[in-house]
Amino acid sequence: MITVRGLTKRYGGTLAVDGLTFDVRAGRVTGFLGPNGAGKSTTMRMILGLDRPTLGRALIAGRPYADLRRPLCAVGAMLDARAVHPARSGRAHLVAQARSNGIPLRRVDEVLEQVGLAKAARRPAGTYSLGMSGRLGVAGALLGDPPVLVLDEPVNGLDPDGVRWIRGLVREQAAEGRTVFLSSHLMSEMQLTADHLVVIGRGRLLGDTSMAEFLAAASPAAARAVVPDPEERAALVRRLLTADGVTVEASESGELTVEGRTAAEIGDLAHRCRVRLHRLSDVRVSLEQAYLDLTARSVEYTTGGYTADTTAVPAASDEGER
Amino acid sequence: MQPAGNAAASSAVLVQFTVVVLATVAVTSEYATGSVRAALLSVPRRSRVHAAKALVVAVVAFVAGAAFAVVGTAVAWFGFDGRASFSVGLSLRQVLAIGLYEALVAVLSVGVAFATRHPAGALSILATLLWALPSILLGLGGPTLAGLNGRLPHGAGERFMRPAAEAPYGSVTAVLIVAAWAAAAHVIGLYVLRRRDT
Ligand SMILES: Nc1ncnc2c1ncn2[C@@H]1O[C@H](COP(=O)(O)OP(=O)(O)OP(=O)(O)O)[C@@H](O)[C@H]1O
Ligand SMILES: [Mg+2]
């Protein structure tokens, strides 16, 4: 369990993280989303005691990271996969970490095997490919068999096989009751991996909800139906449009896109009016779309765009000076 | 006649160059590669990480300094061919003194390197402190500046590596002066490591 309370980080003039408060609970995968520069990595560094919060605190199982006695056995972290001394072999890198935390050395070979690096283990880490570095990073996170995992873009640079392997790994870890907190920009992957989402933008919390709620909130009920007969199609559309809040779009091929009704409702209606359907399905909004809608609504990240509130302040002061 | 170990002691200033560079790079390379994060994640107590680094580098510097002193003394003894004195007791003392001096310089360098994090910054400070300032002070001459030089790490180091009768203070004081420099750098390095983000 990770507890973040009023966490704030200021770097000179930039407020990288702005009063974040949320919990990362055990037994589920919590995805951490936000545009570039939103403050995800900074938040994770503060959780791991690498950056000092300007305000607020981040606790792991109720304690600050610096107070953990054998930290690698309490939290497994992967921040920057490339942050390994290039002359050290992958194995030597892990051995040093294991020694410092009283982890038996046989565990080093176990995790190297687990991440598929056993063959390259004795080569200098500087010769690893991006994906291999990523695997070494994951090996380091798993080393102490920790109940909490904090992973910053773990699938970055992994091949499709690796991406699927990470997905299976973190889901398995969460199913065992561990706490998993991971960031990623791959929305389709996140949709398959995470149970819960924490979304930030410009350092501020935009959302802290379950994946299902997040998707449901973003998409009103919608469905597609294919009605082969034009007359029946027109009849169905008329019936659908009698209700408020329902919109129907018809494509040339005869496919109807209905917003405000689920597939089940349309199916029932079609049955009642004796309309033949060739295909009927709910339209599910993707996490990508839901995420883009949320960030677009809550501000500004569109390239070169400005928010109402950021432009309002300087504009007002400009006028005051004139 | 001079003791043969003085030759080794005089060139400690050159050995210290190697020690300074190695000690500095031992710290700054961790920042350059980012592996310092792995170290701090494994051992979040900053004082331990800092002390471990200083200890390892100091031991290496001590061994290197002492080994160099043994070789240097032997070479000088044969080279000077009877024009240098040799006593086991004094030579052993000088060998240990040179080792100790290099170890303290290593601790000093580690502290400065933790404070600056970049090799250029650390080496500029160390080169100024260990080479430039002594040359300037001694070059300008005068008892005040020479006295000041005696308070700098290398000036004080000379006093205990090469004990001379006319020294204004004894060997123990000289060791304490160098140790104080090393301790000050260590404390500053630790302060920066604790306060600054990694
Ligand atoms: N050491 C630092 N010094 C100054 N500014 C920093 C530092 N680290 C991060 N920042 C700034 O803080 C903000 C948040 O950066 P952060 O790396 O946390 O974003 P992120 O959400 O991880 O982005 P990405 O998705 O690109 O990885 C950015 O504006 C960044 O420029
Ligand atoms: Mg990041």
Side-chain angles (χ1 to χ4, degrees), chain A residues 175-221:
Chain A
E176 288 169 20
R178 298 177 209 249
T179 307
V180 182
F181 189 40
L182 91 163
S183 75
S184 175
H185 289 297
L186 294 183
M187 293 300 149
S188 53
E189 188 50 38
M190 191 62 104
Q191 188 165 7
L192 295 174
T193 311
D195 309 300
H196 196 88
L197 293 173
V198 171
V199 189
I200 64 170
R202 285 261 197 102
R204 297 213 195 110
L205 194 69
L206 300 181
D208 178 2
T209 52
S210 73
M211 175 73 77
E213 279 171 39
F214 188 80
L215 294 177
S219 58

Side-chain angles (χ1 to χ4, degrees), chain A residues 9 49-52 65 101, chain B residues 33 41-42 46 194 197-198:
Chain A
K9 180 70 189 181
L50 292 172
D51 277 18
R52 173 182 285 266
Y65 190 89
N101 277 248
Chain B
T33 61
L41 286 178
S42 308
R46 280 19 178 193
R194 281 217 174 109
D197 299 330
T198 347

Side-chain angles (χ1 to χ4, degrees), chain A residues 40-56:
Chain A
K40 302 181 296 297
S41 301
T42 305
T43 303
M44 287 180 162
R45 282 200 304 277
M46 288 193 283
I47 291 171
L48 298 167
L50 292 172
D51 277 18
R52 173 182 285 266
T54 309
L55 281 174

Side-chain angles (χ1 to χ4, degrees), chain B residues 39-95:
Chain B
L40 293 177
L41 286 178
S42 308
V43 185
R45 289 260 303 271
R46 280 19 178 193
S47 56
R48 267 198 211 175
V49 171
H50 193 278
K53 203 76 168 178
L55 183 68
V56 168
V57 177
V59 168
V60 171
F62 180 87
V63 171
F68 169 80
V70 168
V71 174
T73 307
V75 168
W77 172 239
F78 290 112
F80 287 143
D81 196 21
R83 275 165 281 136
S85 68
F86 178 79
S87 84
V88 174
L90 181 62
S91 295
L92 188 63
R93 223 200 87 160
Q94 279 189 305
V95 164

Side-chain angles (χ1 to χ4, degrees), chain B residues 49-177:
Chain B
V49 171
H50 193 278
K53 203 76 168 178
L55 183 68
V56 168
V57 177
V59 168
V60 171
F62 180 87
V63 171
F68 169 80
V70 168
V71 174
T73 307
V75 168
W77 172 239
F78 290 112
F80 287 143
D81 196 21
R83 275 165 281 136
S85 68
F86 178 79
S87 84
V88 174
L90 181 62
S91 295
L92 188 63
R93 223 200 87 160
Q94 279 189 305
V95 164
L96 293 180
I98 293 170
L100 176 62
Y101 175 73
E102 301 299 356
L104 290 173
V105 166
V107 174
L108 172 81
S109 307
V110 167
V112 171
F114 267 115
T116 63
R117 299 187 173 184
H118 292 286
L123 290 175
S124 316
I125 292 173
L126 291 165
T128 306
L129 186 63
L130 296 171
W131 287 281
L133 271 183
S135 323
I136 293 168
L137 293 177
L138 293 179
L140 292 174
T144 322
L145 295 186
L148 199 57
N149 183 53
R151 262 78 182 168
L152 291 181
H154 188 247
E158 289 261 272
R159 297 265 154 79
F160 71 84
M161 288 189 286
R162 196 159 40 158
E166 80 278 14
Y169 51 79
S171 297
V172 174
T173 314
V175 171
L176 289 179
I177 291 175

